Amino acid sequence: MNFEFPLKELPAVLRGPRVERRRALIGGSAFWGTMVEQGANAGRLRLDDGRVIDAESATYLPPVAPSKIIAVHISYSSRSFETRNKPRPSETPTYFTKPATALNGHGGQILKPVDCQYLNYEGEYAAVISRTCRNVTPDEAWDYIEGFCPALDMGLQDFRDTDQGSMLRVKGADTLLPIGPGLVRGVNIFDQTLRTYVNGLLVQEAHIGDETIWGPHYLVADLARHITLAAGDVILTGTPCHSRSIDPGHVVECEITGIGRVAGTVVAVDAPRASALGVGHQPTDSAEVRRVALGFDERVSDRFKENLAKARNAV
Amino acid sequence: MNFEFPLKELPAVLRGPRVERRRALIGGSAFWGTMVEQGANAGRLRLDDGRVIDAESATYLPPVAPSKIIAVHISYSSRSFETRNKPRPSETPTYFTKPATALNGHGGQILKPVDCQYLNYEGEYAAVISRTCRNVTPDEAWDYIEGFCPALDMGLQDFRDTDQGSMLRVKGADTLLPIGPGLVRGVNIFDQTLRTYVNGLLVQEAHIGDETIWGPHYLVADLARHITLAAGDVILTGTPCHSRSIDPGHVVECEITGIGRVAGTVVAVDAPRASALGVGHQPTDSAEVRRVALGFDERVSDRFKENLAKARNAV
Amino acid sequence: MNFEFPLKELPAVLRGPRVERRRALIGGSAFWGTMVEQGANAGRLRLDDGRVIDAESATYLPPVAPSKIIAVHISYSSRSFETRNKPRPSETPTYFTKPATALNGHGGQILKPVDCQYLNYEGEYAAVISRTCRNVTPDEAWDYIEGFCPALDMGLQDFRDTDQGSMLRVKGADTLLPIGPGLVRGVNIFDQTLRTYVNGLLVQEAHIGDETIWGPHYLVADLARHITLAAGDVILTGTPCHSRSIDPGHVVECEITGIGRVAGTVVAVDAPRASALGVGHQPTDSAEVRRVALGFDERVSDRFKENLAKARNAV
Amino acid sequence: MNFEFPLKELPAVLRGPRVERRRALIGGSAFWGTMVEQGANAGRLRLDDGRVIDAESATYLPPVAPSKIIAVHISYSSRSFETRNKPRPSETPTYFTKPATALNGHGGQILKPVDCQYLNYEGEYAAVISRTCRNVTPDEAWDYIEGFCPALDMGLQDFRDTDQGSMLRVKGADTLLPIGPGLVRGVNIFDQTLRTYVNGLLVQEAHIGDETIWGPHYLVADLARHITLAAGDVILTGTPCHSRSIDPGHVVECEITGIGRVAGTVVAVDAPRASALGVGHQPTDSAEVRRVALGFDERVSDRFKENLAKARNAV
């Protein structure tokens, strides 16, 4: 097959030199810039206007403006084991969508309405489309990938019992997709490791090349069979095991080595006004909701058991 | 409850005068215009530049440019009977999404890849959002609805067995949402009747006020509990019973009285190139696919039985 | 004439109740909200998610996303006197454009390259278009105006000698349009007063109803004769006398009573890299540049003379 | 200098293989496709869905969706002679803008209000930006150019006396920028010839490499000194001599060899309604207007004299 990895020959988007683009907000002004890779300013952000600023303390807007966001349900073997008790969920990937209004910047607030109990993190990497893409093979798909971002595919699991599997309310609410701070090309994504932290405690870890079932080129080619992907579109590539629910005050981060680290803080907000009128499906605390929100802790390796327990009880 | 209908007082978007906006393409030029409601030119389209043209023969672009498209699964009692054997699918509506690339104009081509068998029509009316909307009550929601369009929520049912209920490939492929030709305000949508035709034969019919379970204001308030709706966003409001699969060469139309009639023609295209390489879920002919694609003909009233059979065997 | 003011009857956008919409950035998250007009929370910002936050300390994104920005050259009698020595520049308004990339938020940085000397402020109010508008009369134009924003139409006068009057480089550079923090409707713009401050010193002042030559409805009708205006488009309505150049470190603010106050801080950046290679028109210090950048101080009233001098020499 | 041509080494956008992307409208459906360069289908359009259609008879939407359109005033030596009596207008290019609403497709209608006399053609090639671009050198600028399109920068010269040089009403009215049908990369633009035709008669001709003063890389680097260019932005690169006014019924075409041919038809429309109320600058028939609209025929070479006269008196 032409879509197995490691790849025999690296496409340009996976080869160096590394280029990371970020969009910083200073005061009320938004500025694009490129991370400095070498020399005295390495690790700082060179704005396109020439200024070099501290990258750590800056505020960032999402580095993408997608017209659509498509996410794989399960693409890591550990997640497949956790949820399906088998190493592969099926022979082919399945997908859902998040509306563009779910986009959130690095360091942003992730809203948890007070009538909801279960807001789960899922650390992921996103692949970003570079130009109009339709009806391509996996080999060709590389030419349509601009680069990669760290991302957090957050989910309000209280709504798992509604929407018949589309997860619109689970995954689609405002702020449920922190992404950034950078959009990176020139890094071999298959050589990287994904790690998610809650309040600094490691809660997810996976080597991307070893544990993901389908590469981003496969996902792009699969989707582009019937759907035109446009420049800026975001493909979320799935999460490894140990998605768990977190609470207001918790800080969640996803780091993809070589790509970057995105963070968000959970913030409580009032229940929606229409909910008080009985409009719409109300948050539910069913067995299925809890199964997904809380996971099956008995199968967790010792290495993670303590961190997951601490993260759950923090704040 | 404040969201039952008929409404005690009509909001502005449901009261006259009727205003219908269309976007015509003449040669390669796109022009907005307003339908002439009265006088010698009634039924013709007055372009904003002053020209009055024949509305029937014009080519139309979609009258909307949504950043998101959200669709109700089941909102008609007849559809709930057909698929669930009960008058109401649940106490609350459930939703899925279609990407903006599914948009199609009135008179457009609806693509059916040759490796697919089941392309189903679903005649619907769309509600279009007028301005940023979040956390509103059903009563308030009317102020955020710009108007209504006829729409066809087409579905490639061969992919029903994948995507775990999100229906991304069923409902999200390019061209699967013919909409237009006009965006209409000033018409009481609850007084209207929806009718779908295949090759001129009536195949769906429902009085909107009598048969829909939730009004557009309820759907908007429900969604805006957690998701910010933006100007131009499209809410598809569900279809009555008798969704069936149609074939290349078939012309499908959905008419909403008082609003307009949208048409599309099914066109065969090659199977995607990546499918030949074994990439992605392949179209499937399972019992569940056929149940949805073909319906339970035994329960169809005599009035429709012949038309549905003819439509299926046409061309 | 139907476009003189005061108006006999106030259109909805000029009548109460006052509604002010803002878009705040908290961490990396953007949230729309409405200013609280009355009660205990008056003057605070109610986010659409229900939270009420301090409006003064928030960071704001521009409350508009225009596809075009069109500005009147001269629309205040005092500015016409200052630049033309007559109360009216001509019988009809003239216009130029700014690209959307010039947009800047309230509190943003206004860039002054180090090879430029003259960065002028012009305090203005902006009219924002609510929906597609073409071929309307001034009376009808009110229905297409969403509301008003404070704005600063900044200009790098060092480029006045190039672009043959289009002012692309004078007015079009990145960051040269701070706008916001709010988009306001329900306020009679003709009853308001515009004031510009540099480092807190009053440098421009004009009563809008008394001193502007053309109302926003006239400008919209004029432009929409040949150009389709789209939802979100911004019309900048001109500045009164005393536009002057300011320097890095200066804070400039424009307040429109009843509407709000927008601020920006001038920041020095390097000269562009291509300038060092001799590419493009270089900043120029000609008599015409100085005439516009520095004004004719001899005609300034005593009330402003000291403030203008102080502002020029500050920092 | 690093921005003279011919270039020592061709950047990728000027080297083969040639790739031409078009966006066709079939019925109401828009489809992207790629022109077939070789083999039995050469000269036909392969839609991304696999269908191959006749390229000549298709209807095309513009192949670009710019957030800004910036045009050079004068960049051809022959145009500089014609208007300035010298081979170079100045040491550096000057620019104006067109709003995005001026965009028109290949084969579109170009509107001429009946109160206007002078609608001039200007055949040009457009350079299209591929990704966010700021503060680059001319050498670097090539990496930010997606490709080239034929374009017609039409102008209503009746408004030349207003707008103080910005030409907003001259160049900015709806329909005044037919562009397409394709966006082409992989062709050396400097080796091409531009030709404009009115009703099939040659009226403009220029070898791009020999007669243009600044290459597209220079223009991009010049503009990006202060203005962030975004993916899809359009730079119009100027026209050679012999811009003249044409009338309703006339067909105007601009061909760039190797790139394509764009056509438009002039169509009369009513004067705007607001003009009848005396709103705004009225079309003017001044000496300056006529100088630009009609040209100085005495200096036209015999080769063009007859065609220009015929074109003027056609229909």
Side-chain angles (χ1 to χ4, degrees):
Chain A
M1 278 197 298
N2 61 349
F3 39 86
E4 293 195 322
F5 34 92
L7 302 167
K8 274 160 206 137
E9 202 181 343
L10 283 190
V13 67
L14 299 191
R15 279 199 316 262
R18 184 184 189 276
V19 179
E20 175 171 359
R21 295 281 293 167
R22 298 187 178 189
R23 193 172 187 217
L25 193 88
I26 307 178
S29 308
F31 299 102
W32 281 102
T34 302
M35 289 297 287
V36 182
E37 299 289 327
Q38 296 181 318
N41 282 319
R44 293 167 64 81
L45 179 65
R46 187 186 306 277
L47 301 180
D48 288 353
D49 56 49
R51 289 179 289 168
V52 177
I53 68 169
D54 180 47
E56 290 305 308
S57 61
T59 297
Y60 292 103
L61 297 172
V64 290
S67 62
K68 56 180 139 351
I69 302 168
I70 302 177
V72 186
H73 281 103
I74 296 178
S75 181
Y76 283 79
S77 47
S78 64
R79 181 71 172 157
S80 184
F81 261 118
E82 183 183 44
T83 60
R84 301 285 192 278
N85 242 333
K86 52 185 182 181
R88 238 180 129 93
S90 73
E91 291 307 303
T92 52
T94 64
Y95 305 90
F96 62 96
T97 68
K98 291 172 92 96
T101 33
L103 270 186
N104 203 343
H106 168 61
Q109 299 185 316
I110 304 166
L111 301 188
K112 185 172 188 175
V114 295
D115 58 353
C116 289
Q117 293 187 69
Y118 305 114
L119 173 64
N120 278 45
Y121 58 79
E122 300 187 3
E124 313 209 353
Y125 78 87
V128 179
I129 299 297
S130 59
R131 57 197 172 98
T132 305
C133 175
R134 173 83 204 282
N135 203 9
V136 299
T137 66
D139 280 352
E140 294 164 352
W142 290 113
D143 282 343
Y144 298 84
I145 298 176
E146 179 69 25
F148 308 100
C149 305
L152 284 159
D153 177 19
M154 306 299 297
L156 276 172
Q157 299 295 345
D158 306 69
F159 293 106
R160 177 151 289 262
D161 285 340
T162 188
D163 292 334
Q164 303 183 47
S166 82
M167 292 202 291
L168 175 64
R169 261 81 67 96
V170 176
K171 293 297 187 76
D174 290 359
T175 75
L176 296 191
L177 182 55
I179 191 166
L183 170 55
V184 180
R185 60 182 292 119
V187 171
N188 187 344
I189 193 71
F190 297 119
D191 287 347
Q192 309 309 317
T193 296
L194 177 161
R195 293 188 183 90
T196 307
Y197 301 87
V198 174
N199 301 324
L201 299 166
L202 182 70
V203 290
Q204 292 190 297
E205 186 177 53
H207 185 271
I208 290 170
D210 291 349
E211 300 190 32
T212 57
I213 303 168
W214 299 286
H217 58 320
Y218 181 100
L219 304 177
V220 166
D222 180 8
L223 292 165
R225 290 186 302 156
H226 301 99
I227 298 173
T228 297
L229 303 176
D233 283 356
V234 165
I235 313 299
L236 294 168
T237 60
T239 197
C241 64
H242 300 163
S243 164
R244 293 293 185 276
S245 175
I246 54 175
D247 290 319
H250 288 189
V251 174
V252 59
E253 298 169 281
C254 175
E255 179 181 52
I256 312 293
T257 58
I259 306 293
R261 183 189 280 227
V262 65
T265 302
V266 181
V267 171
V269 292
D270 287 347
R273 295 164 60 227
S275 295
L277 300 173
V279 172
H281 184 86
Q282 301 296 313
T284 309
D285 191 5
S286 70
E288 168 65 6
V289 162
R290 296 176 66 92
R291 186 185 71 83
V292 178
L294 304 178
F296 299 96
D297 285 354
E298 66 272 16
R299 290 190 301 183
V300 171
S301 72
D302 288 346
R303 183 169 168 232
F304 284 95
K305 202 169 280 186
E306 194 179 331
N307 281 0
L308 288 172
K310 274 192 196 163
R312 180 69 189 144
N313 299 317
V315 180
Chain B
M1 279 197 298
N2 63 349
F3 39 85
E4 294 195 320
F5 33 92
L7 302 167
K8 274 160 205 136
E9 203 180 340
L10 284 190
V13 67
L14 300 190
R15 281 198 315 264
R18 182 184 191 278
V19 178
E20 176 171 357
R21 295 281 293 167
R22 297 187 179 188
R23 194 170 187 217
L25 194 89
I26 307 177
S29 308
F31 298 102
W32 280 102
T34 303
M35 289 296 290
V36 182
E37 298 289 327
Q38 295 182 317
N41 282 320
R44 291 166 65 82
L45 179 65
R46 187 186 308 275
L47 301 179
D48 288 352
D49 57 47
R51 289 179 290 168
V52 178
I53 68 168
D54 180 45
E56 291 304 311
S57 61
T59 297
Y60 292 103
L61 297 173
V64 289
S67 61
K68 55 182 142 346
I69 302 168
I70 302 178
V72 186
H73 281 105
I74 296 179
S75 180
Y76 283 79
S77 48
S78 64
R79 181 70 171 157
S80 182
F81 262 116
E82 184 182 43
T83 59
R84 301 287 192 277
N85 242 334
K86 53 186 181 178
R88 236 180 129 92
S90 74
E91 291 307 303
T92 52
T94 64
Y95 305 90
F96 62 96
T97 68
K98 292 172 89 98
T101 32
L103 270 186
N104 202 342
H106 167 62
Q109 298 184 318
I110 304 166
L111 302 187
K112 186 173 189 175
V114 295
D115 57 353
C116 289
Q117 294 186 68
Y118 305 115
L119 173 64
N120 277 46
Y121 57 79
E122 298 187 4
E124 313 209 354
Y125 79 87
V128 179
I129 299 297
S130 59
R131 57 197 172 98
T132 306
C133 176
R134 173 82 204 284
N135 203 10
V136 299
T137 66
D139 280 352
E140 293 165 351
W142 290 114
D143 282 344
Y144 299 84
I145 299 176
E146 178 70 24
F148 307 100
C149 305
L152 284 159
D153 176 18
M154 306 299 296
L156 276 173
Q157 301 296 343
D158 307 69
F159 292 105
R160 178 151 288 263
D161 286 339
T162 187
D163 292 333
Q164 302 183 49
S166 82
M167 293 202 292
L168 175 64
R169 261 79 68 94
V170 176
K171 292 299 186 74
D174 290 359
T175 75
L176 294 192
L177 181 54
I179 191 166
L183 169 55
V184 179
R185 60 183 291 119
V187 170
N188 187 343
I189 193 70
F190 296 119
D191 287 347
Q192 309 309 316
T193 296
L194 176 162
R195 291 187 185 89
T196 307
Y197 301 86
V198 174
N199 301 324
L201 299 167
L202 182 71
V203 291
Q204 292 188 298
E205 186 176 54
H207 185 270
I208 289 169
D210 291 349
E211 299 190 33
T212 56
I213 303 168
W214 299 287
H217 57 321
Y218 181 101
L219 304 177
V220 167
D222 181 8
L223 292 165
R225 291 186 301 157
H226 302 99
I227 298 172
T228 296
L229 303 176
D233 282 356
V234 165
I235 314 298
L236 294 168
T237 61
T239 195
C241 64
H242 299 163
S243 163
R244 293 290 185 280
S245 176
I246 55 176
D247 290 317
H250 287 190
V251 174
V252 58
E253 296 168 283
C254 175
E255 179 181 52
I256 312 292
T257 59
I259 306 292
R261 183 188 280 226
V262 66
T265 302
V266 182
V267 171
V269 292
D270 287 348
R273 296 164 60 228
S275 295
L277 301 174
V279 172
H281 184 86
Q282 301 295 315
T284 310
D285 192 3
S286 70
E288 168 64 6
V289 162
R290 296 175 67 92
R291 184 186 72 84
V292 178
L294 304 176
F296 298 96
D297 284 353
E298 66 272 19
R299 290 189 302 183
V300 170
S301 72
D302 287 347
R303 183 168 168 232
F304 284 94
K305 202 169 280 186
E306 194 179 332
N307 281 0
L308 288 172
K310 273 192 194 163
R312 181 71 189 143
N313 300 315
V315 179
Chain C
M1 277 197 299
N2 63 349
F3 38 86
E4 293 195 322
F5 35 90
L7 302 166
K8 274 161 206 136
E9 203 179 342
L10 284 190
V13 66
L14 300 191
R15 280 197 316 264
R18 183 183 190 276
V19 178
E20 176 172 358
R21 295 281 293 166
R22 296 186 181 190
R23 193 170 188 220
L25 193 89
I26 306 178
S29 308
F31 298 103
W32 280 103
T34 303
M35 289 297 288
V36 182
E37 299 288 328
Q38 295 182 317
N41 281 319
R44 291 167 65 82
L45 179 65
R46 188 186 306 277
L47 301 179
D48 288 354
D49 56 47
R51 289 179 289 169
V52 178
I53 67 168
D54 180 47
E56 291 304 309
S57 60
T59 297
Y60 292 104
L61 297 173
V64 289
S67 61
K68 56 181 134 2
I69 302 168
I70 302 178
V72 186
H73 281 104
I74 296 179
S75 180
Y76 283 78
S77 48
S78 65
R79 181 70 171 157
S80 184
F81 261 117
E82 184 183 42
T83 59
R84 301 286 193 277
N85 242 333
K86 52 185 183 179
R88 237 182 131 91
S90 73
E91 290 308 303
T92 52
T94 64
Y95 305 91
F96 63 96
T97 68
K98 291 173 91 97
T101 32
L103 270 185
N104 202 343
H106 168 60
Q109 298 184 317
I110 305 166
L111 302 188
K112 186 172 187 175
V114 295
D115 57 353
C116 289
Q117 295 186 67
Y118 305 114
L119 173 64
N120 277 46
Y121 57 80
E122 299 188 3
E124 314 210 353
Y125 79 87
V128 179
I129 299 298
S130 60
R131 57 198 173 96
T132 305
C133 176
R134 172 82 204 281
N135 203 9
V136 299
T137 66
D139 279 352
E140 295 164 352
W142 290 113
D143 282 344
Y144 299 85
I145 298 177
E146 179 69 25
F148 307 100
C149 305
L152 284 160
D153 176 18
M154 305 300 296
L156 276 173
Q157 299 297 343
D158 307 68
F159 292 106
R160 179 151 289 263
D161 285 339
T162 187
D163 291 334
Q164 302 183 46
S166 82
M167 293 202 291
L168 175 63
R169 260 83 66 95
V170 176
K171 293 298 187 76
D174 289 1
T175 76
L176 295 192
L177 182 55
I179 191 166
L183 170 55
V184 179
R185 59 182 293 118
V187 170
N188 187 343
I189 193 69
F190 296 119
D191 288 347
Q192 309 309 317
T193 296
L194 177 161
R195 292 189 185 90
T196 307
Y197 301 86
V198 174
N199 301 325
L201 299 167
L202 182 71
V203 291
Q204 293 189 298
E205 186 177 52
H207 185 271
I208 290 170
D210 291 350
E211 299 190 33
T212 57
I213 303 168
W214 299 287
H217 57 321
Y218 181 100
L219 303 177
V220 167
D222 180 9
L223 291 165
R225 291 186 301 156
H226 302 99
I227 298 172
T228 296
L229 302 176
D233 283 355
V234 165
I235 314 298
L236 294 169
T237 61
T239 197
C241 63
H242 300 165
S243 162
R244 294 290 184 281
S245 176
I246 54 176
D247 289 318
H250 288 190
V251 174
V252 58
E253 297 169 282
C254 175
E255 179 182 52
I256 312 293
T257 58
I259 305 294
R261 183 189 280 226
V262 65
T265 301
V266 181
V267 171
V269 292
D270 287 348
R273 295 166 60 228
S275 295
L277 301 173
V279 171
H281 184 86
Q282 302 296 314
T284 309
D285 191 4
S286 71
E288 168 65 5
V289 162
R290 297 175 66 92
R291 185 185 72 83
V292 178
L294 304 178
F296 297 97
D297 285 354
E298 67 271 17
R299 289 188 303 184
V300 172
S301 72
D302 287 345
R303 184 168 169 233
F304 284 95
K305 202 168 280 184
E306 194 178 331
N307 281 1
L308 289 172
K310 274 191 196 163
R312 181 68 188 144
N313 298 317
V315 178
Chain D
M1 278 197 298
N2 63 348
F3 38 85
E4 292 195 323
F5 34 91
L7 302 166
K8 272 159 207 138
E9 203 180 343
L10 283 189
V13 66
L14 300 191
R15 281 199 313 265
R18 183 183 190 278
V19 178
E20 176 171 358
R21 295 282 292 168
R22 297 186 179 190
R23 194 171 187 217
L25 194 89
I26 307 177
S29 308
F31 298 103
W32 280 103
T34 302
M35 290 295 290
V36 181
E37 299 289 327
Q38 295 183 316
N41 281 319
R44 292 168 64 82
L45 180 65
R46 187 186 308 274
L47 301 179
D48 288 353
D49 56 47
R51 290 178 290 169
V52 178
I53 68 168
D54 180 46
E56 290 305 309
S57 60
T59 297
Y60 292 103
L61 296 173
V64 288
S67 62
K68 56 182 143 342
I69 302 167
I70 302 178
V72 186
H73 281 105
I74 296 179
S75 180
Y76 283 79
S77 48
S78 65
R79 182 68 172 159
S80 183
F81 261 118
E82 184 182 43
T83 59
R84 300 287 192 277
N85 243 334
K86 52 186 181 180
R88 237 180 131 93
S90 73
E91 289 308 303
T92 53
T94 64
Y95 305 91
F96 62 96
T97 69
K98 292 171 90 98
T101 33
L103 271 185
N104 202 344
H106 168 61
Q109 298 185 318
I110 304 165
L111 301 189
K112 186 172 189 176
V114 295
D115 57 353
C116 290
Q117 294 186 69
Y118 305 114
L119 173 64
N120 278 47
Y121 58 79
E122 299 186 4
E124 313 208 355
Y125 80 87
V128 179
I129 299 297
S130 59
R131 55 195 174 99
T132 305
C133 176
R134 174 80 204 281
N135 202 11
V136 299
T137 66
D139 280 352
E140 294 165 351
W142 290 112
D143 282 343
Y144 298 84
I145 298 176
E146 178 70 25
F148 307 100
C149 305
L152 284 159
D153 176 18
M154 306 298 297
L156 276 173
Q157 300 295 344
D158 307 68
F159 291 106
R160 179 152 288 262
D161 286 339
T162 187
D163 291 334
Q164 302 183 47
S166 83
M167 293 202 292
L168 175 64
R169 261 80 69 92
V170 175
K171 292 299 186 76
D174 289 0
T175 75
L176 295 192
L177 181 56
I179 191 166
L183 169 56
V184 179
R185 61 181 290 118
V187 170
N188 187 344
I189 193 69
F190 296 119
D191 288 347
Q192 309 309 315
T193 296
L194 177 162
R195 292 188 185 89
T196 308
Y197 301 86
V198 173
N199 301 323
L201 299 166
L202 182 71
V203 290
Q204 293 189 297
E205 187 177 52
H207 185 271
I208 290 170
D210 293 348
E211 300 190 34
T212 56
I213 303 168
W214 299 288
H217 57 322
Y218 181 101
L219 303 177
V220 167
D222 181 10
L223 291 164
R225 291 186 301 156
H226 301 99
I227 298 172
T228 297
L229 303 176
D233 283 354
V234 165
I235 314 298
L236 294 169
T237 60
T239 197
C241 64
H242 300 163
S243 163
R244 294 291 186 279
S245 175
I246 55 175
D247 289 319
H250 287 190
V251 174
V252 58
E253 297 168 281
C254 175
E255 180 181 51
I256 313 292
T257 58
I259 306 292
R261 184 189 278 227
V262 64
T265 302
V266 182
V267 171
V269 292
D270 287 348
R273 295 164 60 228
S275 295
L277 300 174
V279 171
H281 184 86
Q282 302 295 315
T284 309
D285 192 4
S286 70
E288 168 65 5
V289 163
R290 296 175 67 92
R291 185 184 72 85
V292 178
L294 304 178
F296 298 97
D297 285 353
E298 65 272 18
R299 291 190 299 184
V300 172
S301 71
D302 287 348
R303 183 166 168 234
F304 284 95
K305 203 169 277 184
E306 192 178 333
N307 280 1
L308 288 172
K310 272 191 194 164
R312 180 71 190 144
N313 299 315
V315 177

